[in-house]
Amino acid sequence: MKMTKNLTLIAALTLAFASMAHAEEAAPAPEAKPDNEVTYNAAVVSDYRYRGISQTRLKPALQVGADYVNNPTGFYVGTWATNIKWVKDGGGDGSIEWDIYGGKRGAINDTFSYDVGGLYYAYPSNELHPSANTFELYGQISAGPFSVKYSHSTTNLFGFADSKNSGYLDAQFNNEVYDGYVLNLHVGHQNVKNNGAASYTDYKVGVTKDFGVVSVALAAVYADTDAYVGKGKNLGKTGAVLTISKTF
């Protein structure tokens, strides 16, 4: 009787492992990405903060963009646009920021990845002197949820005189902490060449959740400077920023 029970147990275990192996074999493989991929994005933000400084005088913004990537090589190009207020507040004209960028991203090894490229910030008809139009080269290294990025201007930076070769260094941590909620931490330092009073450090603490239909992000943002003012408002003061976005 004992031998019969053992044989029955062995047979049952054998069938169980066979079923598990079959289930693993039958599991669908991850869907391969196409060689050429185009995505679009749109967002509404309560305040467009860039590097901690409000670009819309603490007011909302509507933002849209499009991206193309060649997945086998990692080469990509994209464009993005938003409404702004700071150019007019600075005595110029125009209420649009239009960005054009391109670069290459990929894996260095099993731990580290990279992203290098260039980004042109265009402010049509800005009429500022020097012009607000800016070009930066950038490079980023990532490891899991951590990333460090450096951006270097090859032109004057956003209308500051004699500011060529300004740099922005930032570090980020983005990691899921609970049931799809992603913690977003950021610290960055903007050095404005030959304009020390305009240099500053900015911080962000936030959380993002993708609900499928849209992604929602809420963050507290601050820049330790009072040099950026729009119609009497400190554009770097601590503030909450709500973002509702969709990529499709």
Side-chain angles (χ1 to χ4, degrees):
M1 179 66 70
K2 186 174 182 181
M3 181 177 294
T4 302
K5 287 183 177 180
N6 287 341
L7 289 173
T8 302
L9 179 58
I10 292 170
L13 290 173
T14 302
L15 287 171
F17 283 119
S19 298
M20 291 171 62
H22 178 72
E24 289 179 358
E25 290 175 2
E31 185 176 345
K33 287 189 175 184
D35 286 354
N36 300 289
E37 190 172 13
V38 177
T39 58
Y40 304 91
N41 60 83
V44 177
V45 297
S46 61
D47 178 12
Y48 169 30
R49 293 277 185 130
Y50 186 66
R51 297 178 180 172
I53 304 298
S54 176
Q55 311 293 294
T56 49
R57 205 188 319 124
L58 311 178
K59 299 295 184 180
L62 175 63
Q63 304 170 337
V64 294
D67 295 279
Y68 161 80
V69 60
N70 179 260
N71 285 306
T73 63
F75 284 105
Y76 63 87
V77 293
T79 187
W80 184 83
T82 180
N83 58 287
I84 58 167
K85 291 182 179 294
W86 72 267
V87 169
K88 284 187 176 180
D89 290 348
D93 197 7
S95 56
I96 297 294
E97 174 188 329
W98 177 26
D99 299 346
I100 303 169
Y101 50 87
K104 186 181 188 306
R105 62 175 71 100
I108 299 173
N109 53 36
D110 291 342
T111 301
F112 295 98
S113 61
Y114 69 91
D115 184 355
V116 294
L119 195 162
Y120 183 68
Y121 307 81
Y123 300 90
S125 306
N126 68 86
E127 297 182 4
L128 292 177
H129 302 285
S131 173
N133 296 340
T134 301
F135 183 76
E136 289 185 330
L137 296 172
Y138 59 83
Q140 176 175 293
I141 296 292
S142 301
F146 298 96
S147 64
V148 177
K149 182 178 181 180
Y150 177 71
S151 302
H152 187 86
S153 70
T154 62
T155 64
N156 282 320
L157 186 75
F158 305 126
F160 285 103
D162 196 25
S163 59
K164 182 179 178 180
N165 295 320
S166 295
Y168 183 74
L169 178 65
D170 71 288
Q172 298 193 54
F173 175 84
N174 299 287
N175 195 47
E176 182 177 344
V177 290
Y178 174 76
D179 193 26
Y181 288 89
V182 178
L183 176 66
N184 312 125
L185 302 177
H186 159 92
V187 60
H189 181 73
Q190 178 70 71
N191 174 54
V192 184
K193 189 80 169 181
N194 299 317
N195 292 265
S199 299
Y200 63 92
T201 300
D202 70 287
Y203 309 86
K204 182 181 83 171
V205 178
V207 64
T208 301
K209 168 73 171 177
D210 187 350
F211 291 95
V213 178
V214 295
S215 180
V216 179
L218 181 63
V221 184
Y222 166 69
D224 65 352
T225 177
D226 56 7
Y228 296 79
V229 179
K231 291 195 173 180
K233 295 182 178 181
N234 179 0
L235 304 181
K237 74 175 187 177
T238 302
V241 177
L242 175 66
T243 303
I244 301 174
S245 61
K246 176 68 176 179
T247 299
F248 49 93

